[in-house]
Amino acid sequence: MAAALVFGLIGLSGCNTEMHDNAKRTLYMDEETDRVDLPALRRDIMDVQRRFASMGPEDQIVGILEPPDGVLMSCSDGRFQWTGSTTVEYSTVPEEQGYFEGLEAELADDEAFSTNRQLSPDGESERLIVMSEDGTRYSVRVWTGRSKVQVSSSSWCFMLQPGQAEDGLF
């Protein structure tokens, strides 16, 4: 299972290097030091991951796999992004297109998110890509053969400040 999570994260296709100048991103930044509040960023991204992965019938959720921490991935120019994932297992197999359509419908009037579909690199499955207004990317995949929905995420890229990554928990 851990390997599936790592491969899901690798499938995010690199860092989000495009800079977005908006108020949402500044919620996580200390203006004086440019220090990112990693615990707040992680908490908010994980909340969205859980929301997107739990869109199926609540009474059919068997379990939720959500590591408490994520991984800092390197971006260009010495910047990093937070990555993580949430997997929800259902008792009944979720139908991929219906799941994607339901999530797209929920987000249709929400200006904080935009959606598009993307084929997997092997062309065998489809993913729903959800971009937030701050540049965080969520990749939603329905594993119909396993009755699971996995949401992997990667934040926008930021600079780490001295001492920010010393404890190894992100």
Side-chain angles (χ1 to χ4, degrees):
M1 185 55 151
L5 292 174
V6 170
F7 288 124
L9 290 173
I10 291 170
L12 292 174
S13 73
C15 294
N16 296 326
T17 56
E18 182 180 328
M19 293 303 294
H20 296 266
D21 187 19
N22 60 54
K24 177 70 174 164
R25 192 176 279 187
T26 61
L27 291 174
Y28 303 108
M29 302 286 294
D30 180 313
E31 290 181 32
E32 292 179 21
T33 64
D34 284 335
R35 185 180 186 92
V36 173
D37 184 348
L38 283 174
L41 179 67
R42 178 186 67 230
R43 178 197 65 232
D44 291 351
I45 290 174
M46 289 176 73
D47 285 349
V48 174
Q49 286 175 176
R50 193 175 315 109
R51 173 183 162 205
F52 291 172
S54 302
M55 296 285 297
E58 189 175 318
D59 64 337
Q60 293 183 13
I61 293 176
V62 174
I64 298 174
L65 175 62
E66 187 173 59
D69 299 306
V71 176
L72 287 179
M73 301 287 286
S74 179
C75 295
S76 61
D77 301 327
R79 296 179 299 151
F80 293 85
Q81 69 182 163
W82 186 88
T83 62
S85 69
T86 299
T87 303
V88 174
E89 183 176 3
Y90 290 90
S91 60
T92 314
V93 176
E95 194 273 316
E96 180 181 71
Q97 294 305 310
Y99 197 92
F100 290 163
E101 289 168 4
L103 184 51
E104 288 169 325
E106 179 173 312
L107 299 176
D109 295 327
D110 190 339
E111 293 180 11
F113 297 101
S114 63
T115 63
N116 66 55
R117 307 267 185 116
Q118 182 181 77
L119 282 177
S120 63
D122 63 7
E124 296 294 319
S125 62
E126 192 171 32
R127 297 176 180 156
L128 178 64
I129 305 300
V130 181
M131 291 295 296
S132 72
E133 64 185 344
D134 70 1
T136 298
R137 180 181 191 267
Y138 300 90
S139 176
V140 182
R141 179 134 187 229
V142 177
W143 299 87
T144 54
R146 299 180 187 152
S147 299
K148 295 180 181 183
V149 174
Q150 181 181 52
V151 178
S152 300
S153 63
S154 54
S155 74
W156 40 275
C157 293
F158 52 84
M159 294 297 293
L160 282 177
Q161 300 301 314
Q164 228 177 337
E166 290 177 3
D167 63 3
L169 300 176
F170 312 109

